[in-house]
Amino acid sequence: MTMQTDGVDIDWVQEQLTDYIGRTRAVNQSHSGGGYTSITARTAPECGRAEAIARTETIRPILDRLYPEWRSENTGSKNDEFRSERDACRRLLARLENANEVERRLGGGDTSPRITAASLHRLIWSAAQAQWSTGHRHEAVLAASKAVNSQLQAKLSRRDVSEKDLVRQAFSERAPEEGKPRLQFSHIEDEQTRESMRQGAMDFGAGCFAAIRNPLGHLPNDQVELDEQTALSLLARWIDEASTDAV
């Protein structure tokens, strides 16, 4: 996948990655003394654990930004605490150093639009980030759908209904009833446009829960194919934008 490097100081990133690899080099803890030798597979970072931890706090955001899959693609070790980060740094360095040559040999980069986490609704990414970053795509989207459902329930102060049914009731054309407030796009002045948004949000939201959330909850992972999902993020934005009309 083409890296999104817009606005990134590549020279600084490469310097940080290279320095981290060198400073956290694993040093074996076997030692001799007192007439005997202690043999162990355990290692420690050359710079010391305290400094390695501090440096890792700089490296992880870099990896998250330029190499989101690093956690799932680089295994850790009980004997080498910082191995996964170090291996991820090596991989990212290689990608950065060879990016132009690879792109040229493959006939140019992929110019299709890409979505970054920053463009998603804050609620969606905060709910899905942990699972998505470790390669658990289904669990990430399921977490995002639950977050949207909770968002809608909180906005309407309702716990008696959820998901698809709640969306349909929330964006219903009917007037609000006791305990059943509605959502409307009151900031849209044109009546026809406002009605189109209400109808679209209702159908779209119900469809998200029916076609995305429900299969995830009921079917095995190998029967549901997923890539980056944006539908639930858009639904969360619409819920934010809509005003609540209550009795």
Side-chain angles (χ1 to χ4, degrees), residues 13-246:
V13 166
Q14 291 176 316
E15 179 183 338
Q16 294 299 314
L17 297 175
T18 302
D19 190 54
Y20 184 85
I21 293 170
R23 296 290 292 169
T24 65
R25 183 178 69 86
V27 178
N28 188 271
Q29 297 300 289
S30 299
H31 66 278
S32 299
Y36 68 92
T37 299
S38 174
I39 303 297
T40 178
R42 188 168 285 279
T43 65
E46 186 175 60
C47 63
R49 187 170 185 271
E51 183 179 337
I53 289 174
R55 289 177 178 273
T56 299
E57 291 305 302
T58 298
I59 287 299
R60 284 181 176 174
I62 295 174
L63 294 173
D64 288 340
R65 171 68 170 80
L66 298 175
Y67 182 11
E69 303 83 10
W70 73 269
R71 287 182 174 85
S72 60
E73 294 184 358
N74 299 275
T75 58
S77 168
K78 64 179 181 179
N79 295 319
D80 183 355
E81 183 177 2
F82 303 96
R83 188 179 78 176
S84 60
E85 286 85 355
R86 213 164 45 248
D87 284 349
C89 287
R90 292 189 180 100
R91 289 176 185 268
L92 180 54
L93 265 178
R95 294 181 186 186
L96 290 170
E97 291 169 358
N98 299 311
N100 291 336
E101 178 67 10
V102 170
E103 182 175 315
R104 184 178 70 83
R105 294 291 184 178
L106 294 179
D110 182 358
T111 59
S112 61
R114 296 185 183 278
I115 296 173
T116 64
S119 68
L120 298 176
H121 188 281
R122 64 189 184 283
L123 174 71
I124 299 304
W125 184 238
S126 63
Q129 182 177 13
Q131 296 92 332
W132 190 272
S133 297
T134 55
H136 297 89
R137 306 299 195 232
H138 291 73
E139 291 78 2
V141 178
L142 191 58
S145 68
K146 290 180 178 179
V148 173
N149 182 65
S150 296
Q151 174 199 27
L152 187 54
Q153 287 182 322
K155 184 155 188 170
L156 298 177
S157 298
R158 295 192 66 179
R159 292 292 184 270
D160 59 313
V161 65
S162 64
E163 299 186 351
K164 180 177 65 176
D165 291 338
L166 180 58
V167 171
R168 291 202 176 281
Q169 291 188 39
F171 289 103
S172 171
E173 63 183 349
R174 297 180 180 179
E177 305 172 27
E178 186 68 32
K180 295 182 178 181
R182 312 296 184 196
L183 294 183
Q184 56 180 320
F185 297 98
S186 54
H187 61 286
I188 299 178
E189 295 184 1
D190 182 73
E191 182 178 354
Q192 183 175 354
T193 302
R194 188 167 60 248
E195 170 58 19
S196 294
M197 277 297 301
R198 182 202 64 77
Q199 182 72 47
M202 182 178 68
D203 293 341
F204 179 80
C208 284
F209 283 110
I212 298 176
R213 187 266 181 267
N214 287 345
L216 286 175
H218 301 142
L219 294 175
N221 287 1
D222 59 3
Q223 291 186 27
V224 184
E225 195 70 30
L226 285 179
D227 54 13
E228 289 85 345
Q229 297 288 347
T230 59
L232 291 167
S233 183
L234 180 57
L235 178 58
R237 293 184 191 280
W238 284 348
I239 293 173
D240 271 350
E241 293 173 0
S243 58
T244 306
D245 186 10

